[in-house]
PDB file of all heavy atoms in Angstrom:
ATOM      1  N   TYR S 233       7.696  17.920  55.534  1.00  0.00           N
ATOM      2  CA  TYR S 233       8.934  18.704  55.212  1.00  0.00           C
ATOM      3  C   TYR S 233       9.096  19.812  56.293  1.00  0.00           C
ATOM      4  O   TYR S 233      10.091  20.101  56.785  1.00  0.00           O
ATOM      5  CB  TYR S 233       8.834  19.195  53.830  1.00  0.00           C
ATOM      6  CG  TYR S 233       9.839  20.327  53.533  1.00  0.00           C
ATOM      7  CD1 TYR S 233      11.116  20.153  53.714  1.00  0.00           C
ATOM      8  CD2 TYR S 233       9.254  21.649  53.148  1.00  0.00           C
ATOM      9  CE1 TYR S 233      12.048  21.297  53.486  1.00  0.00           C
ATOM     10  CE2 TYR S 233      10.213  22.615  52.817  1.00  0.00           C
ATOM     11  CZ  TYR S 233      11.381  22.399  53.067  1.00  0.00           C
ATOM     12  OH  TYR S 233      12.319  23.459  52.818  1.00  0.00           O
ATOM     13  N   ASN S 237      11.935  20.475  58.668  1.00  0.00           N
ATOM     14  CA  ASN S 237      12.901  21.721  58.330  1.00  0.00           C
ATOM     15  C   ASN S 237      12.878  22.755  59.376  1.00  0.00           C
ATOM     16  O   ASN S 237      13.659  23.069  60.019  1.00  0.00           O
ATOM     17  CB  ASN S 237      12.445  22.147  56.896  1.00  0.00           C
ATOM     18  CG  ASN S 237      13.083  23.298  56.435  1.00  0.00           C
ATOM     19  OD1 ASN S 237      12.446  24.519  56.324  1.00  0.00           O
ATOM     20  ND2 ASN S 237      14.431  23.199  56.192  1.00  0.00           N
ATOM     21  N   SER S 243      18.130  20.670  57.012  1.00  0.00           N
ATOM     22  CA  SER S 243      18.304  21.400  55.778  1.00  0.00           C
ATOM     23  C   SER S 243      17.272  20.671  54.898  1.00  0.00           C
ATOM     24  O   SER S 243      16.984  19.444  54.952  1.00  0.00           O
ATOM     25  CB  SER S 243      19.682  21.438  55.177  1.00  0.00           C
ATOM     26  OG  SER S 243      20.062  20.100  54.917  1.00  0.00           O
ATOM     27  N   PRO S 244      16.928  21.396  53.654  1.00  0.00           N
ATOM     28  CA  PRO S 244      16.099  20.640  52.674  1.00  0.00           C
ATOM     29  C   PRO S 244      16.725  19.378  52.281  1.00  0.00           C
ATOM     30  O   PRO S 244      16.048  18.392  52.087  1.00  0.00           O
ATOM     31  CB  PRO S 244      16.044  21.733  51.545  1.00  0.00           C
ATOM     32  CG  PRO S 244      16.213  22.987  52.302  1.00  0.00           C
ATOM     33  CD  PRO S 244      16.987  22.744  53.417  1.00  0.00           C
ATOM     34  N   ALA S 245      18.105  19.446  52.011  1.00  0.00           N
ATOM     35  CA  ALA S 245      18.716  18.223  51.450  1.00  0.00           C
ATOM     36  C   ALA S 245      18.782  17.057  52.576  1.00  0.00           C
ATOM     37  O   ALA S 245      18.541  15.948  52.105  1.00  0.00           O
ATOM     38  CB  ALA S 245      20.227  18.584  51.128  1.00  0.00           C
ATOM     39  N   ILE S 266       9.796  11.955  44.144  1.00  0.00           N
ATOM     40  CA  ILE S 266      10.081  13.330  43.520  1.00  0.00           C
ATOM     41  C   ILE S 266      10.266  14.405  44.601  1.00  0.00           C
ATOM     42  O   ILE S 266      11.048  15.253  44.379  1.00  0.00           O
ATOM     43  CB  ILE S 266       9.042  13.713  42.485  1.00  0.00           C
ATOM     44  CG1 ILE S 266       7.717  13.857  43.061  1.00  0.00           C
ATOM     45  CG2 ILE S 266       8.985  12.691  41.297  1.00  0.00           C
ATOM     46  CD1 ILE S 266       6.766  14.715  42.155  1.00  0.00           C
ATOM     47  N   SER S 267       9.576  14.205  45.730  1.00  0.00           N
ATOM     48  CA  SER S 267       9.748  15.286  46.781  1.00  0.00           C
ATOM     49  C   SER S 267      11.160  15.291  47.288  1.00  0.00           C
ATOM     50  O   SER S 267      11.828  16.222  47.546  1.00  0.00           O
ATOM     51  CB  SER S 267       8.858  14.969  47.915  1.00  0.00           C
ATOM     52  OG  SER S 267       7.498  14.914  47.530  1.00  0.00           O
ATOM     53  N   ALA S 268      11.782  14.041  47.462  1.00  0.00           N
ATOM     54  CA  ALA S 268      13.205  13.907  47.880  1.00  0.00           C
ATOM     55  C   ALA S 268      14.128  14.569  46.718  1.00  0.00           C
ATOM     56  O   ALA S 268      14.998  15.352  47.155  1.00  0.00           O
ATOM     57  CB  ALA S 268      13.578  12.432  48.016  1.00  0.00           C
ATOM     58  N   ASP S 269      13.850  14.289  45.595  1.00  0.00           N
ATOM     59  CA  ASP S 269      14.642  14.896  44.456  1.00  0.00           C
ATOM     60  C   ASP S 269      14.514  16.415  44.550  1.00  0.00           C
ATOM     61  O   ASP S 269      15.602  17.068  44.387  1.00  0.00           O
ATOM     62  CB  ASP S 269      14.088  14.285  43.113  1.00  0.00           C
ATOM     63  CG  ASP S 269      15.221  14.176  42.105  1.00  0.00           C
ATOM     64  OD1 ASP S 269      16.385  14.564  42.505  1.00  0.00           O
ATOM     65  OD2 ASP S 269      14.775  14.009  40.906  1.00  0.00           O
ATOM     66  N   VAL S 270      13.275  16.894  44.631  1.00  0.00           N
ATOM     67  CA  VAL S 270      13.184  18.398  44.652  1.00  0.00           C
ATOM     68  C   VAL S 270      14.038  19.039  45.772  1.00  0.00           C
ATOM     69  O   VAL S 270      14.592  20.032  45.505  1.00  0.00           O
ATOM     70  CB  VAL S 270      11.631  18.823  44.748  1.00  0.00           C
ATOM     71  CG1 VAL S 270      11.472  20.267  45.068  1.00  0.00           C
ATOM     72  CG2 VAL S 270      10.795  18.190  43.504  1.00  0.00           C
ATOM     73  N   LEU S 271      13.889  18.409  46.922  1.00  0.00           N
ATOM     74  CA  LEU S 271      14.483  18.904  48.148  1.00  0.00           C
ATOM     75  C   LEU S 271      16.090  18.896  48.017  1.00  0.00           C
ATOM     76  O   LEU S 271      16.660  19.709  48.529  1.00  0.00           O
ATOM     77  CB  LEU S 271      14.076  18.074  49.384  1.00  0.00           C
ATOM     78  CG  LEU S 271      12.661  18.368  49.830  1.00  0.00           C
ATOM     79  CD1 LEU S 271      12.197  17.422  50.958  1.00  0.00           C
ATOM     80  CD2 LEU S 271      12.456  19.842  50.225  1.00  0.00           C
ATOM     81  N   LYS S 272      16.540  18.011  47.274  1.00  0.00           N
ATOM     82  CA  LYS S 272      17.969  18.012  47.203  1.00  0.00           C
ATOM     83  C   LYS S 272      18.650  18.676  46.031  1.00  0.00           C
ATOM     84  O   LYS S 272      19.782  18.824  45.843  1.00  0.00           O
ATOM     85  CB  LYS S 272      18.406  16.426  46.964  1.00  0.00           C
ATOM     86  CG  LYS S 272      18.149  15.614  48.172  1.00  0.00           C
ATOM     87  CD  LYS S 272      18.373  14.109  47.999  1.00  0.00           C
ATOM     88  CE  LYS S 272      19.635  13.881  48.790  1.00  0.00           C
ATOM     89  NZ  LYS S 272      19.935  12.561  48.915  1.00  0.00           N
ATOM     90  N   GLN S 273      17.687  19.293  45.252  1.00  0.00           N
ATOM     91  CA  GLN S 273      18.112  20.123  44.044  1.00  0.00           C
ATOM     92  C   GLN S 273      18.654  21.556  44.543  1.00  0.00           C
ATOM     93  O   GLN S 273      18.015  22.262  45.289  1.00  0.00           O
ATOM     94  CB  GLN S 273      16.908  20.394  43.129  1.00  0.00           C
ATOM     95  CG  GLN S 273      17.241  21.108  41.888  1.00  0.00           C
ATOM     96  CD  GLN S 273      18.201  20.497  41.023  1.00  0.00           C
ATOM     97  OE1 GLN S 273      18.094  19.335  40.699  1.00  0.00           O
ATOM     98  NE2 GLN S 273      19.161  21.256  40.560  1.00  0.00           N
ATOM     99  N   ALA S 274      19.822  21.802  43.994  1.00  0.00           N
ATOM    100  CA  ALA S 274      20.291  23.206  44.233  1.00  0.00           C
ATOM    101  C   ALA S 274      19.731  24.140  43.188  1.00  0.00           C
ATOM    102  O   ALA S 274      19.547  23.747  41.953  1.00  0.00           O
ATOM    103  CB  ALA S 274      21.846  23.102  44.212  1.00  0.00           C
ATOM    104  N   ASP S 275      19.721  25.432  43.572  1.00  0.00           N
ATOM    105  CA  ASP S 275      19.238  26.358  42.543  1.00  0.00           C
ATOM    106  C   ASP S 275      20.433  26.779  41.629  1.00  0.00           C
ATOM    107  O   ASP S 275      21.443  27.127  41.999  1.00  0.00           O
ATOM    108  CB  ASP S 275      18.853  27.587  43.275  1.00  0.00           C
ATOM    109  CG  ASP S 275      18.555  28.845  42.374  1.00  0.00           C
ATOM    110  OD1 ASP S 275      18.046  28.560  41.334  1.00  0.00           O
ATOM    111  OD2 ASP S 275      18.634  30.073  42.847  1.00  0.00           O
ATOM    112  N   PRO S 276      20.160  26.499  40.262  1.00  0.00           N
ATOM    113  CA  PRO S 276      21.191  26.768  39.352  1.00  0.00           C
ATOM    114  C   PRO S 276      21.675  28.340  39.396  1.00  0.00           C
ATOM    115  O   PRO S 276      22.770  28.647  39.062  1.00  0.00           O
ATOM    116  CB  PRO S 276      20.515  26.421  37.979  1.00  0.00           C
ATOM    117  CG  PRO S 276      19.444  25.638  38.284  1.00  0.00           C
ATOM    118  CD  PRO S 276      18.970  26.075  39.626  1.00  0.00           C
ATOM    119  N   LEU S 277      20.845  29.220  39.830  1.00  0.00           N
ATOM    120  CA  LEU S 277      21.211  30.622  39.778  1.00  0.00           C
ATOM    121  C   LEU S 277      22.032  30.930  41.062  1.00  0.00           C
ATOM    122  O   LEU S 277      23.041  31.781  40.977  1.00  0.00           O
ATOM    123  CB  LEU S 277      20.031  31.619  39.848  1.00  0.00           C
ATOM    124  CG  LEU S 277      19.285  31.393  38.509  1.00  0.00           C
ATOM    125  CD1 LEU S 277      18.053  32.532  38.497  1.00  0.00           C
ATOM    126  CD2 LEU S 277      20.104  31.873  37.254  1.00  0.00           C
ATOM    127  N   THR S 278      21.666  30.612  42.249  1.00  0.00           N
ATOM    128  CA  THR S 278      22.291  30.956  43.540  1.00  0.00           C
ATOM    129  C   THR S 278      23.112  29.906  44.207  1.00  0.00           C
ATOM    130  O   THR S 278      23.850  30.245  45.081  1.00  0.00           O
ATOM    131  CB  THR S 278      21.188  31.511  44.405  1.00  0.00           C
ATOM    132  OG1 THR S 278      20.338  30.508  44.795  1.00  0.00           O
ATOM    133  CG2 THR S 278      20.516  32.749  43.817  1.00  0.00           C
ATOM    134  N   GLY S 279      22.773  28.712  43.907  1.00  0.00           N
ATOM    135  CA  GLY S 279      23.427  27.633  44.641  1.00  0.00           C
ATOM    136  C   GLY S 279      22.660  27.215  45.897  1.00  0.00           C
ATOM    137  O   GLY S 279      22.993  26.134  46.616  1.00  0.00           O
ATOM    138  N   ALA S 280      21.655  28.048  46.377  1.00  0.00           N
ATOM    139  CA  ALA S 280      20.960  27.724  47.487  1.00  0.00           C
ATOM    140  C   ALA S 280      19.939  26.571  47.208  1.00  0.00           C
ATOM    141  O   ALA S 280      19.744  26.124  46.049  1.00  0.00           O
ATOM    142  CB  ALA S 280      20.080  28.934  47.865  1.00  0.00           C
ATOM    143  N   PRO S 281      19.387  25.898  48.251  1.00  0.00           N
ATOM    144  CA  PRO S 281      18.459  24.797  47.857  1.00  0.00           C
ATOM    145  C   PRO S 281      17.298  25.435  47.044  1.00  0.00           C
ATOM    146  O   PRO S 281      16.741  26.509  47.244  1.00  0.00           O
ATOM    147  CB  PRO S 281      17.976  24.486  49.392  1.00  0.00           C
ATOM    148  CG  PRO S 281      18.973  24.964  50.385  1.00  0.00           C
ATOM    149  CD  PRO S 281      19.623  26.089  49.609  1.00  0.00           C
ATOM    150  N   LEU S 282      17.016  24.738  45.987  1.00  0.00           N
ATOM    151  CA  LEU S 282      15.956  25.292  45.027  1.00  0.00           C
ATOM    152  C   LEU S 282      14.688  25.642  45.693  1.00  0.00           C
ATOM    153  O   LEU S 282      14.033  26.624  45.419  1.00  0.00           O
ATOM    154  CB  LEU S 282      15.792  24.504  43.842  1.00  0.00           C
ATOM    155  CG  LEU S 282      14.775  24.825  42.798  1.00  0.00           C
ATOM    156  CD1 LEU S 282      15.180  26.126  42.060  1.00  0.00           C
ATOM    157  CD2 LEU S 282      14.450  23.742  41.859  1.00  0.00           C
ATOM    158  N   VAL S 283      14.277  24.659  46.656  1.00  0.00           N
ATOM    159  CA  VAL S 283      13.009  24.826  47.349  1.00  0.00           C
ATOM    160  C   VAL S 283      12.861  26.023  48.119  1.00  0.00           C
ATOM    161  O   VAL S 283      11.814  26.609  48.251  1.00  0.00           O
ATOM    162  CB  VAL S 283      12.664  23.586  48.161  1.00  0.00           C
ATOM    163  CG1 VAL S 283      13.515  23.498  49.360  1.00  0.00           C
ATOM    164  CG2 VAL S 283      11.250  23.421  48.485  1.00  0.00           C
ATOM    165  N   GLU S 284      13.973  26.555  48.569  1.00  0.00           N
ATOM    166  CA  GLU S 284      14.012  27.917  49.252  1.00  0.00           C
ATOM    167  C   GLU S 284      13.974  29.060  48.291  1.00  0.00           C
ATOM    168  O   GLU S 284      13.615  30.283  48.702  1.00  0.00           O
ATOM    169  CB  GLU S 284      15.271  27.959  50.129  1.00  0.00           C
ATOM    170  CG  GLU S 284      15.208  26.995  51.322  1.00  0.00           C
ATOM    171  CD  GLU S 284      16.277  27.072  52.258  1.00  0.00           C
ATOM    172  OE1 GLU S 284      17.405  27.860  51.953  1.00  0.00           O
ATOM    173  OE2 GLU S 284      16.335  26.329  53.257  1.00  0.00           O
ATOM    174  N   MET S 285      14.118  28.888  46.977  1.00  0.00           N
ATOM    175  CA  MET S 285      13.963  29.914  46.096  1.00  0.00           C
ATOM    176  C   MET S 285      12.667  29.977  45.230  1.00  0.00           C
ATOM    177  O   MET S 285      12.330  30.796  44.537  1.00  0.00           O
ATOM    178  CB  MET S 285      15.196  29.821  44.995  1.00  0.00           C
ATOM    179  CG  MET S 285      16.489  29.784  45.618  1.00  0.00           C
ATOM    180  SD  MET S 285      16.910  31.122  46.626  1.00  0.00           S
ATOM    181  CE  MET S 285      16.636  32.618  45.681  1.00  0.00           C
ATOM    182  N   ILE S 286      11.875  28.840  45.447  1.00  0.00           N
ATOM    183  CA  ILE S 286      10.596  28.755  44.737  1.00  0.00           C
ATOM    184  C   ILE S 286       9.680  29.470  45.624  1.00  0.00           C
ATOM    185  O   ILE S 286       9.493  29.162  46.859  1.00  0.00           O
ATOM    186  CB  ILE S 286      10.185  27.203  44.652  1.00  0.00           C
ATOM    187  CG1 ILE S 286      11.213  26.478  43.784  1.00  0.00           C
ATOM    188  CG2 ILE S 286       8.705  27.170  44.006  1.00  0.00           C
ATOM    189  CD1 ILE S 286      10.876  25.031  43.522  1.00  0.00           C
ATOM    190  N   LEU S 287       8.836  30.376  44.942  1.00  0.00           N
ATOM    191  CA  LEU S 287       7.983  31.161  45.777  1.00  0.00           C
ATOM    192  C   LEU S 287       6.844  30.190  46.305  1.00  0.00           C
ATOM    193  O   LEU S 287       6.200  29.360  45.764  1.00  0.00           O
ATOM    194  CB  LEU S 287       7.159  32.191  44.851  1.00  0.00           C
ATOM    195  CG  LEU S 287       6.196  33.143  45.617  1.00  0.00           C
ATOM    196  CD1 LEU S 287       6.977  34.088  46.550  1.00  0.00           C
ATOM    197  CD2 LEU S 287       5.504  34.030  44.553  1.00  0.00           C
ATOM    198  N   ASP S 288       6.519  30.506  47.584  1.00  0.00           N
ATOM    199  CA  ASP S 288       5.531  29.355  48.335  1.00  0.00           C
ATOM    200  C   ASP S 288       4.120  29.835  48.200  1.00  0.00           C
ATOM    201  O   ASP S 288       3.353  30.102  49.185  1.00  0.00           O
ATOM    202  CB  ASP S 288       5.837  29.475  49.836  1.00  0.00           C
ATOM    203  CG  ASP S 288       5.891  30.944  50.465  1.00  0.00           C
ATOM    204  OD1 ASP S 288       6.200  31.860  49.721  1.00  0.00           O
ATOM    205  OD2 ASP S 288       5.818  31.026  51.710  1.00  0.00           O
TER     206      ASP S 288
END
Side-chain angles (χ1 to χ4, degrees):
Y233 163 61
N237 176 245
S243 68
I266 64 162
S267 304
D269 207 7
V270 171
L271 290 173
K272 294 178 106 168
Q273 177 66 46
D275 173 28
L277 291 184
T278 61
L282 179 67
V283 74
E284 290 178 354
M285 304 308 295
I286 298 178
L287 186 65
D288 55 336

